[in-house]
Amino acid sequence: MLTELDQIQTDALAEIIGIDSDSALEDTRVRYLGKKGRLTAASAGMRDVSKEDKPAVGQKLNEVRNAITSALEEKSAALIAIRDAAAFSGIDVTLPGRPLPKGSLHPLSHVLDNAVSVLRRMGFAIADGPEIETEWHCFDALNTPADHPARNESDTFYFENGKLLRTHTSSVQIRTMETEAPPIRIIAPGSAFRRDEIDATHLSAFHQLEGLYVDEKVTLADLKGTLEFFFREMFGSATELRFRPHFFPFTEPSFEVDLKFHATGRESKWIEIAGCGMVDPNVFQSIGQTRGDAAYDPEKISGFAFGMGLDRLAMITYGIPDLRLLIENDVRFLSQFS
Ligand code: DAH
């Protein structure tokens, strides 16, 4: 029996050496180690081996099984290695990979995210309104008379149905007060549109950030404190603010806000940055008429509002010389803000 086992091992190993496919390898395994394989059949002969020879024959049987099994495994690994080598042939795997360009946020998004996070810390919630607006929400309810220049065909994009592309985000003040009762503390970032000649400081589609705070006993001091805190968070604690009397139809009194901030390598000068004021009682009256309740009784409540250009905020933050850079989508420009 020992010679028979030796013979099985010699045959199997010789066969395995010449094999060049997985299926032939499996075929061989079955023929030697399978249920009806040669080695399995031979091991049935153990029955007839004498008691004193059994340990030696048993040991031989194991050795042969192990030898065949490892020869099969080695061959299988060798076949895989040959396949891998074929797949890689012609490819230099030591070449460095191609870097994937990493995207970055648009400078406007950076500025907006910053502004929103400062204002949210102060308790302002985000409000929204449509870009295609009615004249009522954009002008009338905001105390803007029919002959106001902003309502002119030459300044505003009108649709044939009388609606228009909102010229400012102040319309969101009206939208919010129509549906919500005071106290109101909202900011509304969004697009606005004007029939402007496009140049370094004007775009016909631009971005604004509106703010509105309505409650009992809101004062001008609250407005100043809020904007001072906001701009110092945005541009540094040494930032100076100046409130200049101005006129807006929807606020009384109204102001323009100038800002001077100090940054190394940048000239410090006064820059106009926002419009603001105390909500005009006429605005509350219009809201009262549409709502049909006394929630906005100008005798009981007051409020402040402000609005600023986000594009301008981005220009100032990053020292961008030309507004058009913000809409040209030039990767050489945009990748500087990652
Ligand atoms: N809507 C104004 C504009 O587009 C900006 C503005 C001024 C908004 C005063 C306000 C405000 O809320 O109180 O020029």
Side-chain angles (χ1 to χ4, degrees):
M1 179 145 174
L2 288 177
T3 23
E4 192 200 342
L5 289 174
D6 271 334
Q7 188 60 49
I8 292 177
Q9 174 166 344
T10 315
D11 291 351
L13 298 193
E15 216 176 290
I16 290 168
I17 283 175
I19 283 174
D20 63 359
S21 78
D22 284 345
S23 57
L25 196 64
E26 173 62 8
D27 199 47
T28 305
R29 189 190 66 78
V30 171
R31 267 188 297 105
Y32 285 90
L33 306 181
K35 259 192 210 141
K36 292 179 187 155
R38 268 176 78 183
L39 192 65
T40 321
S43 56
M46 273 299 268
R47 252 184 275 124
D48 310 322
V49 176
S50 66
K51 212 173 173 188
E52 48 280 19
D53 287 345
K54 259 199 174 115
V57 175
Q59 194 184 356
K60 184 75 185 172
L61 202 62
N62 275 339
E63 278 169 20
V64 173
R65 170 168 282 111
N66 289 343
I68 297 177
T69 307
S70 35
L72 287 167
E73 280 167 4
E74 265 168 45
K75 189 63 177 189
S76 171
L79 289 175
I80 290 172
I82 290 168
R83 267 204 308 275
D84 284 353
F88 280 129
S89 80
I91 297 173
D92 182 351
V93 291
T94 65
L95 280 176
R98 284 192 201 109
L100 280 180
K102 212 162 95 198
S104 61
L105 286 180
H106 193 279
L108 260 182
S109 303
H110 275 299
V111 167
L112 176 59
D113 287 354
N114 258 342
V116 167
S117 82
V118 173
L119 288 159
R120 282 181 66 122
R121 266 192 281 141
M122 285 194 271
F124 287 88
I126 298 212
D128 202 6
E131 290 173 0
I132 297 175
E133 258 304 1
T134 62
E135 285 201 72
W136 163 260
H137 291 94
C138 201
F139 297 127
D140 297 300
L142 285 162
N143 196 36
T144 310
D147 60 355
H148 192 279
R151 302 184 67 151
N152 212 303
E153 291 262 351
S154 61
D155 287 333
T156 302
F157 295 106
Y158 284 94
F159 293 93
E160 278 173 9
N161 63 7
K163 288 197 175 179
L164 48 82
L165 287 179
R166 70 179 179 197
T167 56
H168 52 187
T169 45
S170 303
S171 52
V172 184
Q173 293 186 28
I174 304 302
R175 292 269 167 197
T176 309
M177 289 190 282
E178 276 176 348
T179 53
E180 311 277 334
I184 294 240
R185 204 183 287 160
I186 55 118
I187 44 172
S191 301
F193 309 86
R194 283 178 205 173
R195 272 187 126 126
D196 270 336
E197 209 58 63
I198 294 176
D199 62 25
T201 51
H202 295 88
L203 296 175
S204 51
F206 54 102
H207 303 88
Q208 289 191 327
L209 178 71
E210 190 79 17
L212 175 69
Y213 177 29
V214 183
D215 203 346
E216 287 167 17
K217 303 193 180 78
V218 176
T219 70
L220 192 52
D222 297 316
L223 170 58
K224 279 194 82 175
T226 301
L227 288 184
E228 272 170 8
F229 180 82
F230 171 72
F231 284 115
R232 289 193 177 133
E233 286 294 296
M234 294 290 287
F235 293 103
S237 53
T239 301
E240 294 172 72
L241 247 60
R242 185 165 81 177
F243 288 73
R244 269 185 296 108
H246 197 75
F247 174 80
F248 295 105
F250 32 89
T251 40
E252 181 58 34
S254 303
F255 305 88
E256 268 188 343
V257 184
D258 299 335
L259 151 157
K260 188 153 89 173
F261 72 107
H262 307 273
T264 36
R266 300 261 294 270
E267 186 194 351
S268 300
K269 55 173 188 207
W270 288 107
I271 310 166
E272 183 190 317
I273 187 75
C276 65
M278 302 305 292
V279 178
D280 194 303
N282 287 346
V283 174
F284 289 142
Q285 233 138 37
S286 298
I287 296 290
Q289 273 158 27
T290 13
R291 288 178 60 96
D293 66 15
Y296 285 89
D297 180 351
E299 299 295 324
K300 296 212 183 86
I301 48 113
S302 55
F304 70 67
F306 59 86
M308 65 191 89
L310 276 174
D311 312 84
R312 206 170 153 66
L313 215 56
M315 281 177 98
I316 295 168
T317 305
Y318 296 113
I320 298 169
D322 191 321
L323 257 186
R324 287 167 290 195
L325 286 164
L326 292 175
I327 55 168
E328 278 167 357
N329 275 339
D330 186 330
V331 178
R332 290 167 304 178
F333 168 73
L334 294 175
S335 61
Q336 298 172 56
F337 302 93
S338 47

